[in-house]
């Protein structure tokens, strides 16, 4: 398979780093997830969930850089765990090219923020203050108190709703040096493709077939793979990392066992992947468990292709299975047959996964998107509710990987489920997004003076 080269390695530049720090429960991980366009950092209402520092790739204005999510820094805490968290946060600030201090604007300033701000004022690194939890334009006055930190103008943001995050990213990229980092978009980033599926459907066999070598252990015994296995290769000149994972079961079936932690690692592999190949056993048809794994991939933000393995020993009706998958899985993934044993169809599966990953990263221009939405409304207007009709004013794509579209409307309560699905499916058909998670936010338009 000349197009698939397992020995080729992509050349990656050194990306600039931005440390995201703050007091516990200020919303750092939620903001990092929003800026990076994913959900890799763990978030919870309980303070102190994040302890280690974790890097997530962020892209903005033609620049790629690493956002370093850190644990909450409370310098008054002196126990061993708190000191370890502080050490990790300090290390992130030391290696960063810029620092974002996240403060809960609703909670106001406490002695902890003032102490942390004093530390940052002594830092030679540029520092931005993100006044988080400003959830509407009318609440921007909440940031006034944060001028007292002495770190310049606070930027109002809402990690939950996305308000002000574009302005924050504009400022971040302005502060990052050009020399020796910042990795331009032309410098190719390696795509991550996870191979998912229930136990013993042939995931590791598929990996071996693609690589042409026994890279992963294959056994008739289900559950051979426990840790995700990362393998680098090149597909049609595109740098790719394939992630082979443990078989996914229902969590209740593996609770309290080694398989439980293997399950968690598989789910995390899906969360860090750009696309997923969900491997199914063609001899058994499309099962409820296959659909559950496909739903997990979608909720993880993965573009998804279903691979019907063992097609050399099965005559499964692909058309019927595709219809069932499209009925049950909202992202309407493509379904391809293959055989890991003979290698038939494995190239096509890999190429489709790469194609969907790249489409997930694509952007629809605002003008084109608004013309498309207007055409859909003209072709099939939203139905009236209690004598009122939904009006769509303005649409824009606000995120990628997966695509996220915000549409201003007059009243969200007028949105019908069927019509919303109709709009989503029309978008998929028009822009080749079958198999790509697509998020549409209907945002009520703010009235002037309110």
């Amino acid at each position: 398979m000349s197009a698939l080269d397992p020995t080729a390695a992509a050349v990656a530049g050194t990306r600039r780093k931005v440390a995201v720090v703050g007091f516990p429960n200020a919303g750092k991980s939620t903001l990092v997830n929003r800026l990076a366009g994913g959900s890799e950092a763990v978030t919870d209402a309980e303070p102190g969930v994040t302890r280690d520092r974790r890097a997530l790739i962020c892209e903005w204005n033609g620049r790629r850089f690493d956002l370093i999510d850190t644990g909450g820094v409370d310098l008054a805490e002196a126990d061993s765990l708190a000191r370890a968290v502080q050490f990790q946060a300090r290390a992130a600030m030391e290696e960063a090219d810029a620092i974002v201090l996240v403060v809960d604007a609703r909670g106001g300033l406490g002695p902890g923020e003032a102490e942390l701000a004093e530390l940052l004022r002594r830092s030679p690194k540029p520092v931005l203050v993100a006044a988080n939890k400003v959830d509407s334009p009318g609440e921007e006055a909440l940031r006034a108190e944060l001028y007292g930190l002495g770190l310049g103008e606070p930027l109002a943001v809402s990690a939950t709703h996305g308000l002000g995050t574009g302005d924050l990213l504009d400022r971040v990229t302005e502060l990052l040096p050009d020399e020796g980092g910042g990795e331009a978009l032309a410098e190719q980033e390696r795509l991550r493709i996870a191979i998912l599926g229930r136990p013993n459907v042939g995931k590791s066999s598929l990996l071996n077939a693609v690589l042409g070598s026994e890279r992963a252990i294959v056994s008739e015994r289900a559950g051979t793979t426990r840790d995700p296995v990362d393998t680098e290769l090149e597909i049609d000149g595109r740098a790719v990392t394939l992630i082979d994972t443990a078989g996914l079961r229902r969590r209740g079936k593996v609770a309290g066992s080694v398989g439980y932690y293997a399950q968690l690692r598989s789910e995390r592999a899906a969360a860090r992947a750009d696309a997923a190949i969900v491997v199914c056993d063609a001899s058994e048809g499309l099962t409820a468990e296959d659909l559950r794994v496909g739903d997990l991939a979608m909720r993880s933000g993965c573009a998804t292709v279903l691979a019907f393995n063992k097609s050399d020993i099965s005559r499964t009706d692909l058309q019927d299975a595709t219809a069932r998958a499209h009925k049950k899985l909202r992202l309407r993934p493509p379904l391809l047959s293959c055989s890991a044993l003979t290698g038939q169809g494995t190239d096509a599966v890999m190429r489709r996964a790469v194609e969907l990953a790249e489409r997930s990263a694509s952007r629809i221009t605002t003008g084109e998107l608004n013309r498309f939405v207007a055409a859909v409304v003209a072709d099939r207007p939203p139905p009236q509710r209690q004598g009122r009709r939904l009006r769509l004013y303005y649409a824009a794509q606000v995120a990628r990987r997966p695509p996220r579209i915000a549409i201003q409307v007059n009243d969200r309560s007028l949105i019908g489920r069927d019509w919303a699905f109709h709009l989503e499916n029309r978008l998929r058909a028009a822009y080749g997004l079958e198999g790509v998670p697509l998020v549409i936010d209907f945002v009520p338009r703010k009235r002037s003076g309110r």
Side-chain angles (χ1 to χ4, degrees):
M1 293 183 289
S2 58
L4 310 185
D5 181 3
T7 63
V11 178
T14 302
R15 286 187 294 269
R16 293 298 185 182
K17 295 180 175 61
V18 178
V20 181
V21 302
F23 207 66
N25 218 28
K28 298 180 296 300
S29 294
T30 304
L31 181 61
V32 166
N33 284 340
R34 171 67 69 171
L35 298 179
S39 57
E40 190 167 344
V42 178
T43 61
D44 196 273
E46 178 185 351
V49 171
T50 303
R51 292 173 178 173
D52 295 308
R53 64 187 194 271
R54 173 188 287 263
L56 281 79
I57 298 173
C58 184
E59 169 206 318
W60 191 255
N61 287 347
R63 301 287 299 277
R64 280 198 179 101
F65 52 91
D66 286 336
L67 285 172
I68 314 298
D69 185 29
T70 66
V73 178
D74 185 350
L75 298 176
E77 293 289 337
D79 62 81
S80 59
L81 177 59
R83 287 185 180 277
V85 171
Q86 293 168 21
F87 176 81
Q88 292 288 335
R90 287 176 186 268
M93 290 187 281
E94 283 294 324
E95 69 183 26
D97 298 286
I99 300 169
V100 175
L101 171 63
V102 182
V103 182
D104 180 352
R106 291 179 178 274
L109 286 180
E113 281 91 359
E115 193 172 0
L116 182 56
E118 183 180 355
L119 176 68
L120 291 174
R121 284 197 298 271
R122 297 198 299 267
S123 171
K125 311 290 177 66
V127 179
L128 294 174
V129 177
N132 192 26
K133 305 184 183 180
V134 178
D135 294 334
S136 70
E139 296 177 336
E140 289 199 9
L142 292 171
R143 66 193 179 114
E145 184 182 0
L146 306 189
Y147 280 93
L149 294 171
L151 292 168
E153 180 184 4
L155 299 175
V157 300
S158 170
T160 302
H161 302 292
L163 178 71
T165 53
D167 292 337
L168 175 61
L169 286 169
D170 283 342
R171 291 290 306 279
V172 166
T173 54
E174 288 171 5
L175 292 176
L176 290 178
D178 289 329
E179 297 81 13
E183 190 174 313
L185 290 182
E187 194 168 355
Q188 193 180 79
E189 181 191 344
R190 187 176 290 278
L191 290 176
R192 297 179 299 272
I193 298 177
I195 303 176
L196 306 177
R198 53 194 173 89
N200 220 28
V201 292
K203 299 182 297 299
S204 297
S205 297
L206 178 62
L207 174 65
N208 289 339
V210 169
L211 299 177
S213 64
E214 293 298 313
R215 173 66 176 84
I217 298 172
V218 178
S219 172
E220 290 297 323
R221 179 180 176 183
T224 302
T225 303
R226 285 182 172 171
D227 288 300
V229 178
D230 287 17
T231 305
E232 296 182 351
L233 69 157
E234 198 170 276
I235 299 175
D236 294 334
R238 189 68 166 93
V240 172
T241 296
L242 275 182
I243 310 166
D244 185 27
T245 65
L248 288 163
R249 304 173 174 88
R250 292 188 182 276
R251 284 196 181 183
K253 293 184 178 181
V254 292
S257 69
V258 174
Y260 175 76
Y261 298 99
Q263 173 101 356
L264 289 180
R265 287 191 287 270
S266 294
E267 292 176 3
R268 288 170 184 162
R272 65 186 172 95
D274 300 297
I277 298 171
V278 175
V279 183
C280 313
D281 188 336
S283 66
E284 299 179 16
L286 187 65
T287 70
E289 287 296 289
D290 296 329
L291 293 170
R292 185 181 64 82
V293 176
D295 186 64
L296 167 68
M298 180 188 72
R299 288 185 282 107
S300 299
C302 288
T304 304
V305 57
L306 302 181
F308 255 37
N309 189 31
K310 307 182 186 179
S311 60
D312 53 315
I313 60 171
S314 171
R315 293 179 180 248
T316 300
D317 187 336
L318 289 181
Q319 193 170 15
D320 179 70
T322 299
R324 185 174 175 222
H326 286 187
K327 182 178 180 181
K328 296 290 186 179
L329 296 175
R330 185 169 176 174
L331 74 174
R332 301 173 67 84
L335 190 152
L336 302 178
S337 65
C338 66
S339 169
L341 181 63
T342 67
Q344 179 184 4
T346 56
D347 272 15
V349 169
M350 290 306 308
R351 289 192 176 99
R352 181 62 68 89
V354 169
E355 177 188 353
L356 291 180
E358 291 180 332
R359 286 188 182 177
S360 181
S362 64
R363 181 176 294 278
I364 308 170
T365 65
T366 299
E368 181 181 355
L369 186 58
N370 278 279
R371 288 190 293 272
F372 172 82
V373 171
V376 172
V377 171
D379 180 59
R380 180 178 164 180
Q384 290 189 3
R385 284 191 169 187
Q386 298 179 344
R388 300 181 63 211
R389 192 183 299 279
L390 175 72
R391 297 188 182 280
L392 289 76
Y393 299 116
Y394 181 79
Q397 184 173 340
V398 296
R400 300 190 284 181
R401 293 179 179 153
R404 191 182 196 105
I405 293 169
I407 303 177
Q408 281 192 342
V409 297
N410 58 333
D411 187 346
R412 287 185 59 184
S413 66
L414 299 176
I415 300 168
R417 179 184 177 90
D418 289 345
W419 192 86
F421 280 159
H422 169 70
L423 174 62
E424 181 177 326
N425 289 333
R426 287 283 299 271
L427 275 165
R428 291 190 191 283
Y431 296 102
L433 297 175
E434 288 89 353
V436 176
L438 179 60
V439 182
I440 302 176
D441 297 320
F442 293 96
V443 183
R445 185 168 73 167
K446 302 288 184 182
R447 294 184 181 178
S448 58
R450 293 186 62 180

